[in-house]
């Protein structure tokens, strides 16, 4: 069986396409919202553990917070069995991906084994 691999990206279109192709929606952890602003970000997949604790937000609000918090998305296209994977994790943006200076139009994607 081939080993599954993850990718890391800051590209908004790539993130949105990956999430939506799996039924994922942008969300925030309800208990971390402050003054109407999103708190901790998540991608919510229907039927998973986020029910009740997550609140859907717009992609615009998601990416505004994503940039403000200097994040990147680590995600997996397929499981080791070749099935579509919903694995994702929001992490601090690696320095080689542009840090705070990255803009939506500047895509950097890399594979990590």
């Amino acid at each position: 069986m081939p080993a599954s691999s993850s990718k890391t990206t800051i590209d908004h279109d790539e993130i949105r396409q990956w999430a939506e192709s799996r039924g994922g929606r942008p969300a925030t952890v309800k208990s971390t919202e402050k003054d109407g602003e999103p708190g901790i970000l998540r991608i919510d997949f229907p039927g998973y553990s986020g029910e009740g604790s997550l609140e859907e937000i717009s992609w615009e609000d998601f990416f505004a917070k994503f940039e403000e918090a200097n994040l990147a998305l680590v995600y997996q296209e397929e499981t080791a069995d070749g099935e579509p994977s919903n694995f994702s994790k929001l992490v601090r943006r690696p320095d080689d991906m542009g840090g705070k200076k990255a803009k939506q139009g500047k895509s950097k994607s890399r594979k990590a084994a």
Side-chain angles (χ1 to χ4, degrees), residues 19-87:
E20 288 181 345
S21 71
R22 291 159 172 77
R25 303 294 308 153
T28 184
V29 177
K30 287 180 187 179
S31 63
T32 65
E33 294 175 325
K34 187 173 181 180
D35 299 326
E37 294 292 319
I40 297 172
L41 297 177
R42 295 286 186 263
I43 296 177
D44 186 22
F45 295 97
Y48 287 84
S49 62
E51 285 186 48
S53 64
L54 299 180
E55 180 177 337
E56 187 173 329
I57 60 175
S58 70
W59 280 113
E60 184 177 315
D61 288 345
F62 180 91
F63 287 122
K65 181 70 176 188
F66 180 85
E67 291 301 326
E68 177 187 309
N70 204 33
L71 299 174
L73 181 76
V74 176
Y75 69 101
Q76 194 175 49
E77 290 283 357
E78 302 181 332
T79 65
D81 295 335
E83 297 295 318
S85 174
N86 287 355
F87 170 80

